[in-house]
Amino acid sequence: METDRGIEINVTEDDNAYLGYEPLVNGGENITAGQSTPVVEYHNQVSVDLDTLEVDVSRTSSSGPTIETFDAPDQLDRGNAGTVTVTLNCSTTQVIELDFEVTGSGSGTSISLDRTLSVTCVPN
């Protein structure tokens, strides 16, 4: 007996992926320290609800501006979008690279995505 199982992988732009990623700020754009700012949006383009959406926002470097808080949806229904907001802290104007790691799951489906976005933190 012989079996041939094929697998097909398609690479697409972030905004057209199953879990779409769309930056809401341009790379390097200014974010005022202490203000909650919408920075990225995720789009559920899978045919199921993502009952669990785990988003982690961190900085790629241990120096420079810090992340005071971030807020992200904990689920994402099919066809909907969810926004991630970030509040930064800095005493001088500095560039920070934010790392976004997200995993969504629901109805036997699991999707992971990791992206980096550069923004500039400016003091309040």
Side-chain angles (χ1 to χ4, degrees):
M1 177 179 262
E2 189 174 311
T3 304
D4 182 17
R5 294 185 181 187
I7 185 168
E8 184 176 326
I9 298 175
N10 292 321
V11 177
T12 186
E13 297 294 323
D14 282 341
D15 57 345
N16 292 324
Y18 288 132
L19 183 58
Y21 166 86
E22 180 181 356
L24 300 176
V25 295
N26 295 324
E29 186 171 326
N30 290 351
I31 292 180
T32 303
Q35 293 184 2
S36 179
T37 305
V39 289
V40 298
E41 191 171 76
Y42 290 100
H43 299 263
N44 180 354
Q45 300 172 142
V46 181
S47 60
V48 299
D49 292 341
L50 297 176
D51 300 321
T52 302
L53 190 69
E54 296 176 4
V55 178
D56 184 46
V57 182
S58 60
R59 55 191 185 153
T60 60
S61 172
S62 60
S63 63
T66 57
I67 300 170
E68 279 187 16
T69 62
F70 69 89
D71 186 42
D74 57 5
Q75 65 183 25
L76 196 54
D77 292 338
R78 175 180 45 168
N80 287 340
T83 302
V84 177
T85 60
V86 174
T87 305
L88 300 177
N89 184 16
C90 61
S91 57
T92 61
T93 300
Q94 299 176 56
V95 173
I96 180 174
E97 287 199 0
L98 301 173
D99 186 36
F100 296 86
E101 294 182 24
V102 62
T103 301
S105 61
S107 297
T109 301
S110 180
I111 300 172
S112 295
L113 184 66
D114 184 6
R115 294 292 181 264
T116 302
L117 178 65
S118 178
V119 297
T120 302
C121 181
V122 295
N124 188 352

